[in-house]
Amino acid sequence: MKRLAILGSTGSIGQSTLSIVEQFPDRYQVATLAAGRNVDEAFAQAVRWRPKLVSLSSEELAAQLCKRLNEAGISGTQVVYGSEGTVACSTHPEADFVVSAIVGVAGLEATHAAILAGKPVGLANKECMVAAGEILTAAARERNVPILPIDSEHNAVHQCMRVGDHKEVKFIWLTASGGPFRKTQLSEFAAITPEQALKHPTWVMGRRITIDSATMLNKGLEIIEACRLFNVPASQVRVTIHPQSTVHSLVEYVDGSILAQISMTDMRLPILYALAYPERPASNLTFDLAALRHLDFEEPDFERFPCLRLAYEAAERGGAHCIALNAADEVAVEAFLDRRIPFTEIAGTIGKVLASTPESHPATIAEVLASDREAREKAHALVA
Ligand code: MG
């Protein structure tokens, strides 16, 4: 029996994780839930799963949840709040496995604390690896703590890496759907509206990640994530446009063999893989091979998608540049969604923030967060 700490329990990965717990009651239990701002959902989850600990983002929300749990006659669930509350969830003595699915750098401290506490982590939060990958993987290696990627591409790579030796890997190939503007002319990019950018062809996701997919910055973050998770230089990570999103990623070995992972486009599969690793439990997530018609692969266009080039640059320089890439993008995407900057200025803003970022490699999470704040301030000034 694995007892789970779920960080980001009310988000889509959190809810999918709970549906896996529901499906495999003999394998998984809920120990703690870090729920953020959604009190209604946190209450429903606490009633259903009876965790030891629930964390909400603020003291006020925690008090609301406490009151509702009392009124419902539910005892045995402690309510905490803030970043300390999230850390309490991720390091709780009764948690054996931590699902890190809080969006943004908010989940960083708790994920780091979980690794320091020796708990295996299923990582769905790519910003953690981008901003602090060097720190997190060093801590994990030192303590021999597995970090299992839940991001579909990295999960696929993890699966393909199991059959070969690290030194035999030539390239990691991350697949990208190409987003809604795969065929859009460069001259039309400046006029792209938030409505157009929010339509993703294959995955239904949150707003920031959908825009990141349209600019391909999401793939850029994944390049950095792959470098850190699999300990390879950026030159060994390549991107291929695969509009069907059927192959979730590939690993090319030095002998010329390329291994690909194919499965349903459903996040429950990578979540189950991470939770059960190294086992593979039987599931009903069956892929219909007979329905498969085309697998197209093409080279990405760095001119129309400059965010990819910026991400390679950041990946090579590491440290503060990776932090700045992520932070500047978050600010720029928000400004684009508020119609304060055109689509093309998302990359423009990131490029300017990167250019003004001095070379540095934060050694602690506090330094990472300070560097993140600094980059955000620069980006805010640029989009104002
Ligand atoms: Mg992905």
Side-chain angles (χ1 to χ4, degrees):
M1 180 67 72
K2 263 183 201 167
R3 297 166 303 174
L4 310 181
I6 305 175
L7 313 182
S9 65
T10 56
S12 91
I13 297 290
Q15 297 199 18
S16 295
T17 304
L18 288 169
S19 83
I20 300 278
V21 179
E22 187 129 42
Q23 233 182 309
F24 296 91
D26 49 332
R27 281 179 173 266
Y28 308 114
Q29 252 173 24
V30 175
T32 66
L33 299 171
R37 269 179 270 277
N38 188 342
V39 180
D40 290 335
E41 188 61 32
F43 175 70
Q45 290 182 349
V47 170
R48 168 68 181 85
W49 298 104
R50 304 295 172 103
K52 297 280 179 231
L53 202 62
V54 176
S55 180
L56 287 167
S57 60
S58 73
E59 186 171 9
E60 193 195 332
L61 296 173
Q64 283 179 29
L65 180 63
C66 260
K67 186 161 170 277
R68 288 178 66 175
L69 289 174
N70 279 336
E71 283 166 3
I74 288 169
S75 56
T77 295
Q78 199 193 336
V79 183
V80 291
Y81 61 89
S83 53
E84 275 172 41
T86 316
V87 170
C89 284
S90 78
T91 56
H92 195 278
E94 286 187 32
D96 309 307
F97 188 99
V98 177
V99 175
S100 171
I102 295 177
V103 178
V105 291
L108 184 50
E109 207 182 335
T111 305
H112 186 235
I115 294 169
L116 295 182
K119 302 194 191 288
V121 171
L123 190 73
N125 171 329
K126 71 188 70 181
E127 291 93 346
C128 274
M129 258 310 138
V130 170
E134 291 154 47
I135 298 170
L136 296 179
T137 52
R141 262 194 299 275
E142 209 170 284
R143 287 162 187 78
N144 206 16
V145 170
I147 300 177
L148 294 149
I150 290 177
D151 203 352
S152 63
E153 292 80 358
H154 303 80
N155 187 268
V157 171
H158 192 274
Q159 299 196 40
C160 296
M161 293 277 249
R162 282 170 81 173
V163 291
D165 201 88
H166 189 273
K167 63 178 185 300
E168 296 163 352
V169 172
K170 188 172 181 188
F171 294 119
I172 286 171
W173 286 94
L174 300 176
T175 53
S177 71
F181 310 123
R182 187 166 59 90
K183 292 184 187 297
T184 305
Q185 296 297 315
L186 181 59
S187 58
E188 293 167 23
F189 269 68
I192 288 169
T193 64
E195 290 72 25
Q196 290 169 323
L198 283 169
K199 278 191 202 123
H200 189 272
T202 45
W203 291 94
V204 178
M205 308 173 292
R207 280 160 67 89
R208 180 189 169 197
I209 192 171
T210 304
I211 302 300
D212 283 350
S213 165
T215 60
M216 292 199 72
L217 189 277
N218 180 54
K219 210 48 57 181
L221 297 177
E222 290 180 357
I223 293 167
I224 300 170
E225 193 185 358
C227 291
R228 302 299 172 257
L229 278 169
F230 304 111
N231 198 21
V232 294
S235 57
Q236 265 183 283
V237 181
R238 297 201 166 173
V239 172
T240 178
I241 306 295
H242 171 48
Q244 292 87 4
S245 299
T246 299
V247 173
H248 297 301
S249 277
L250 317 90
V251 174
E252 180 173 347
Y253 284 92
V254 287
D255 66 351
S257 282
I258 299 181
L259 301 189
Q261 190 263 347
I262 294 178
S263 58
M264 256 176 92
T265 304
D266 188 319
M267 287 311 291
R268 283 175 301 169
L269 203 133
I271 294 168
L272 179 61
Y273 174 87
L275 293 182
Y277 179 82
E279 289 175 59
R280 285 187 186 273
S283 89
N284 55 0
L285 300 165
T286 313
F287 181 82
D288 182 8
L289 204 53
L292 185 61
R293 288 290 174 273
H294 301 283
L295 291 178
D296 298 318
F297 298 95
E298 34 183 273
E299 282 204 20
D301 181 345
F302 285 76
E303 208 188 326
R304 288 184 305 138
F305 298 99
C307 284
L308 272 182
R309 181 179 47 75
L310 293 169
Y312 269 111
E313 229 174 84
E316 268 157 28
R317 304 184 74 174
H321 284 84
C322 295
I323 297 167
L325 180 86
N326 175 60
D329 174 65
E330 199 173 310
V331 172
V333 166
E334 211 177 283
F336 167 68
L337 288 173
D338 292 347
R339 294 169 213 278
R340 282 180 281 136
I341 59 169
F343 187 79
T344 40
E345 258 321 289
I346 298 176
T349 305
I350 299 169
K352 284 170 209 153
V353 173
L354 281 183
S356 70
T357 298
E359 192 93 32
S360 89
H361 291 263
T364 65
I365 299 297
E367 284 174 31
V368 168
L369 294 175
S371 169
D372 179 80
R373 273 192 300 274
E374 210 174 292
R376 269 166 217 273
E377 277 162 27
K378 280 182 199 161
H380 275 299
L382 286 166
V383 299

